[in-house]
Amino acid sequence: MATLDQTLQVFRALLEADPPVAIGEADEAIWAYLVPIQGLSAQAEALEVLRYKAAELDGTSAFMPRLMEDLDRHKERLSERAV
């Protein structure tokens, strides 16, 4: 279980890592943030907030595109489950 601030802190560390780390660490942080949130729509809303806040982080990092792609994959998974 992780808060929005804790998750963003993990993202900051991953964005600062040199060389870039595996996407698995970001994926774990995203799941830790989403798991305690009840309901698909609530998880989708929380993910949107997380994605918005993540986009405000270091955009010059080589890891940023991979992080945003991972967040998009989570969004797709949630939307598939909602159908």
Side-chain angles (χ1 to χ4, degrees), residues 40-74:
L40 292 176
S41 60
Q43 285 183 344
E45 288 175 28
L47 186 61
E48 279 301 312
V49 171
L50 180 60
R51 191 179 190 294
Y52 176 80
K53 295 290 189 179
E56 295 177 341
L57 300 176
D58 183 7
T60 63
S61 170
F63 189 73
M64 181 58 93
R66 293 171 57 206
L67 174 59
M68 298 310 286
E69 287 172 10
D70 197 38
L71 288 163
D72 288 342
R73 274 193 300 277
H74 279 276

Side-chain angles (χ1 to χ4, degrees), residues 16-53:
E16 292 172 1
D18 188 32
V21 296
I23 197 65
E25 291 183 49
D27 201 48
E28 289 175 22
I30 295 166
W31 280 118
Y33 173 65
L34 292 177
V35 164
I37 299 170
Q38 298 296 312
L40 292 176
S41 60
Q43 285 183 344
E45 288 175 28
L47 186 61
E48 279 301 312
V49 171
L50 180 60
R51 191 179 190 294
Y52 176 80
K53 295 290 189 179

Side-chain angles (χ1 to χ4, degrees), residues 1-14 25-26 28-30 32-33 36 50 57:
M1 183 159 83
T3 66
L4 177 61
D5 289 336
Q6 290 168 327
T7 306
L8 291 171
Q9 187 58 38
V10 170
F11 289 175
R12 281 185 200 94
L14 295 174
E25 291 183 49
E28 289 175 22
I30 295 166
Y33 173 65
L50 180 60
L57 300 176

